[in-house]
């Protein structure tokens, strides 16, 4: 069975984050051009440095765009919370996905709490070794066998998505038996 992405990252957030590297790239390109026309090697060097920095920054954001949040890989669920190395949970431990709501503090906003949708992956109570994991509170919470992922950091959440995830989990668990 090929890997299936069950939940993707928030592309809206990542596309917005590409604005700053793009601005840096444009400023660095203009700086390079100006340095070339005025024979200013220091200015050209600074422009090239800015171009490289903008490309690296943009590349990191692009990688974040491509990073899934939850993947079904053979007989395991992989949670990328946060980062490149997933937290793996056996498929038989996953019970279901639920749609929830919660209060989230918006990053960069001065103490402005907003109501957001969350997705909750319910894990079997008997699997105590998967009951708790540390993760940044801004992304969600993993405790008492529930993995809560804030909707701000993943694709738009709706009942259709939750039903698709639950159907995929069910089909994979039935196929594993």
């Amino acid at each position: 069975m090929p890997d299936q992405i069950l939940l993707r990252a928030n592309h809206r957030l990542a596309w917005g984050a590409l604005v700053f590297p793009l601005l840096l790239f444009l400023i660095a390109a203009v700086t390079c051009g100006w340095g070339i026309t005025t024979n200013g090697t220091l200015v050209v060097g600074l422009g090239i440095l800015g171009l490289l920095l903008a490309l690296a920054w943009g590349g990191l954001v692009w990688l974040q765009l491509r990073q899934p949040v939850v993947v079904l890989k053979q007989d395991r669920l992989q949670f990328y919370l946060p980062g490149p190395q997933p937290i793996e949970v056996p498929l038989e431990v996953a019970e279901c996905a639920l749609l929830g709501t919660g209060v989230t503090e918006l990053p960069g906003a001065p103490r402005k709490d907003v109501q957001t949708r969350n997705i909750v992956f319910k894990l079997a109570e008997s699997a105590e070794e998967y009951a708790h994991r540390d993760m940044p509170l801004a992304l969600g919470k993993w405790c008492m066998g529930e993995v809560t992922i804030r909707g701000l950091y993943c694709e738009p959440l709706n009942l259709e998505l939750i039903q698709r995830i639950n159907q995929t989990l069910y089909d994979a668990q039935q196929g594993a038996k």
Side-chain angles (χ1 to χ4, degrees):
M1 176 172 64
D3 296 353
Q4 286 185 275
I5 297 175
L6 298 182
L7 187 64
R8 297 180 187 283
N10 183 347
H11 290 172
R12 301 170 316 268
L13 194 63
W15 282 113
L18 276 174
V19 169
F20 297 110
L22 180 62
L23 284 174
L24 178 60
F25 185 85
L26 292 173
I27 291 168
V30 168
T31 302
C32 256
W34 179 65
I36 289 171
T37 59
T38 61
N39 290 330
T41 55
L42 179 61
V43 175
V44 171
L46 287 175
I48 290 172
L49 182 65
L51 287 171
L52 293 174
L53 182 63
L55 288 173
W57 188 2
L60 287 173
V61 172
W62 181 254
L63 287 175
Q64 184 66 32
L65 258 174
R66 297 181 44 87
Q67 181 72 54
V69 178
V70 181
V71 175
L72 174 61
K73 184 171 187 163
Q74 296 168 351
D75 62 343
R76 305 190 77 66
L77 274 183
Q78 296 181 326
F79 292 91
Y80 290 86
L81 301 169
Q85 296 302 319
I87 300 169
E88 292 191 341
V89 174
L91 182 59
E92 63 269 8
V93 169
E95 291 183 349
C96 65
L98 305 166
L99 185 61
T101 60
V103 175
T104 300
E105 190 175 310
L106 289 177
R111 293 290 305 153
K112 179 158 183 172
D113 293 339
V114 295
Q115 193 77 9
T116 61
R117 287 185 175 180
N118 300 326
I119 185 169
V120 180
F121 286 87
K122 181 81 175 90
L123 306 178
E125 287 183 28
S126 60
E128 293 178 11
E129 65 272 21
Y130 299 104
H132 177 80
R133 294 288 186 272
D134 291 329
M135 62 185 279
L137 196 53
L139 291 176
K141 188 168 64 169
W142 187 323
C143 67
M144 297 185 340
E146 293 182 353
V147 183
T148 303
I149 301 168
R150 302 203 193 286
L152 186 62
Y153 296 98
C154 60
E155 66 183 289
L157 299 172
N158 55 43
L159 284 176
E160 183 181 306
L161 174 66
I162 301 299
Q163 288 171 341
R164 182 178 54 82
I165 290 171
N166 282 327
Q167 187 64 50
T168 303
L169 287 174
Y170 176 78
D171 292 344
Q173 288 170 339
Q174 293 306 308
K177 289 184 178 178

